[in-house]
Amino acid sequence: MRQRTADQRHRPVAVLLSPRPAVVAAARRAGARTVVVAPDPSVPSDREGAERRVRTDWRDHPRLVGAVGRLEEVRRGRAAVFGFDPAGALAAARANEELGLPGTPTAAVTALMDKAGLRARSNGLHAAHPVSFARCGRADLIPFITTLIGYPCVIKPRWGADGEGVRLVADQAGARTAARGYPAVTDLLVEEFLEGPELAVAALSREGRHRVLGWSRRIPAAGPDLTATGHRLPIALDATAAESVRALVRAVLDLAGHRDGPSHTEVVLTPRGPRLIEAHARPGADELTHLLRLAHGTDVLGLALAAGLGLPDPPRRPRAAHAGLRYVDFPPGWRTDGAGPGVAAARAVPGVVRVHLEVPRGAVVRRPPTGARHHAYVLAAAPTAGSLGAALDRVTGLLGGRHDAPGVQVVR
């Protein structure tokens, strides 16, 4: 018992900034001890499974460095700070640099966050057929700039995340409508709409070597806000296309100076080859990392934490031949307090692995989802594409939600 306790004390520490429960669980799979840093560690989702807690507002850089710097493991260099959302990734990078700990450089995080700068750099990778784009600093210029780019085109905040504020514009009338939805003085990117299948690519970098862990295909919904109805696996790409995707992801990460840590890159397979949508110095959303683990046994979160702490890779345990993710959204006025029977029935459907509601219990849905934020999602696995699609359809019906049937049915 004493030997085991001593071994536990020598395990490195993952300092987690307001982590989701899935991140804490992944740290345990990676063999790390955990310290949760959050403004209020009494919140169950922040402290689930954590060994220690530090109550501080990690968005305040001096407070974060002061609080974390007092940890013995940090002083001994046996720790690293991790943040797996947009704000957390930047805060963790700054803290690791100041404390002399391993991690993604701050400059790389910000280079990937800057959509305009990254677009300009990535266009150099295919100079013969670059992606047309322009900066826009005033909302009333949107109709003019979209005319220069051509229709359809996409408008997005230069520093945005999670799909917030992203719109697809089909014509001048749509451009005028879009202009009314942004502040008068703004910082936007207007770029051509890239047509083709879209992939969400997970990668992990170590000392400048980028390992592509896997990808899923995004199923788009109809409408001007470019939301998704779900993702699916496996994706059949020929060897040439697959290598082109890997090469693009690696080149983009090199351009940003991303040498260490996880990344999430969105790529479109256009007729002229793969093109970048955007990239981030963090893993994808929980449901995407769970999907890859379910289908391929690829533990994106566990691998990222293990790599950052110098631990062996967690074991790979593939589970399913086909796996799918479906987002479910509810109409305004829908109440979660009556959802219990539907959720229980949905979880009992063969092949369903997880049914997760983002809307708190007892709440009422006030507005439609925005960007990449949805009211609920379902993960399922099955031996065939047809049985997977049938399970997802059945669960959507049991939950009483809405989905874009033409997009979602393409789960093969």
Side-chain angles (χ1 to χ4, degrees), residues 85-87 112-115 156-166 266 278-280 282 370-373:
D85 61 18
L112 291 173
M113 292 172 66
D114 180 0
K115 294 179 175 58
K156 61 177 68 174
R158 179 185 175 188
W159 300 94
D162 296 326
E164 294 290 338
V166 179
E266 297 164 12
E278 56 188 56
H280 309 275
R282 55 182 170 83
T370 58
R373 303 178 187 276

Side-chain angles (χ1 to χ4, degrees), residues 14-407:
V15 180
L16 308 174
L17 306 184
S18 292
R20 307 180 299 269
V23 175
V24 179
R28 292 200 302 270
R29 292 195 301 272
R33 289 181 292 153
T34 53
V35 174
V36 164
V37 180
D40 183 5
S42 66
V43 177
S45 63
D46 289 339
R47 62 183 175 86
E48 188 170 307
E51 297 172 33
R52 281 182 286 169
R53 305 168 191 88
V54 174
R55 182 172 184 171
T56 194
D57 186 353
W58 51 263
R59 294 164 296 188
D60 185 317
H61 178 67
R63 286 187 180 182
L64 173 59
V65 170
V68 172
R70 289 192 288 270
L71 298 174
E72 179 184 354
E73 295 84 359
V74 169
R75 295 199 303 269
R76 293 175 178 269
R78 294 187 55 78
V81 184
F82 298 89
F84 287 162
D85 61 18
L90 183 57
R94 294 183 65 202
N96 284 326
E97 283 190 344
E98 184 157 336
L99 294 166
L101 302 175
T104 307
T106 302
V109 178
T110 55
L112 291 173
M113 292 172 66
D114 180 0
K115 294 179 175 58
L118 193 61
R119 174 62 71 205
R121 293 181 182 182
S122 66
N123 270 348
L125 301 172
H126 32 75
H129 301 288
V131 177
S132 299
F133 79 100
R135 293 271 304 277
C136 177
R138 287 173 42 193
D140 60 5
L141 291 177
I142 287 176
F144 171 69
I145 294 176
T146 57
T147 301
L148 296 179
I149 298 299
Y151 301 109
C153 60
V154 176
I155 306 171
K156 61 177 68 174
R158 179 185 175 188
W159 300 94
D162 296 326
E164 294 290 338
V166 179
R167 292 191 64 85
L168 175 63
V169 175
D171 50 33
Q172 266 284 299
R176 289 192 293 269
T177 300
R180 294 192 289 270
Y182 295 102
V185 178
T186 186
D187 194 355
L188 300 171
L189 188 65
V190 181
E191 59 186 19
E192 69 173 280
F193 175 66
L194 299 172
E195 295 195 49
E198 183 178 334
L199 304 181
V201 185
L204 181 63
S205 304
R206 292 189 182 187
E207 298 180 345
R209 296 175 64 87
H210 312 299
R211 172 186 170 193
V212 174
L213 301 176
W215 50 62
S216 61
R217 180 170 178 178
R218 181 181 186 270
I219 310 300
D225 53 0
L226 293 176
T227 59
T229 59
H231 286 250
R232 63 181 176 89
L233 286 168
I235 307 302
L237 297 182
D238 62 50
T240 300
E243 186 50 42
S244 295
V245 171
R246 293 187 186 97
L248 175 62
V249 169
R250 290 168 179 151
V252 167
L253 296 176
D254 282 340
L255 287 172
H258 182 91
R259 294 183 52 80
D260 294 281
S263 61
H264 171 79
T265 305
E266 297 164 12
V267 174
V268 175
L269 303 178
T270 76
R272 293 176 172 175
R275 293 293 187 269
L276 173 74
I277 298 178
E278 56 188 56
H280 309 275
R282 55 182 170 83
D286 269 358
E287 60 268 26
L288 295 182
T289 59
H290 196 158
L291 182 64
L292 282 174
R293 189 169 171 231
L294 175 65
H296 296 325
T298 303
D299 188 353
V300 175
L301 297 178
L303 287 166
L305 289 156
L309 295 169
L311 292 167
D313 288 351
R316 181 180 178 185
R317 298 187 177 92
R319 262 188 82 172
H322 294 265
L325 159 70
R326 177 169 298 176
Y327 294 112
V328 182
D329 296 312
F330 306 105
W334 185 84
R335 299 183 63 90
T336 59
D337 52 11
V343 171
R347 287 173 175 158
V349 172
V352 169
V353 175
R354 188 176 190 192
V355 177
H356 178 77
L357 293 181
E358 295 285 358
V359 184
R361 287 195 177 190
V364 177
V365 173
R366 301 295 184 189
R367 59 183 180 180
T370 58
R373 303 178 187 276
H374 294 268
H375 298 142
Y377 67 82
V378 180
L379 285 164
T384 67
S387 56
L388 174 64
L392 291 171
D393 286 342
R394 185 178 176 192
V395 169
T396 303
L398 289 168
L399 292 176
R402 302 176 302 169
H403 65 279
D404 186 325

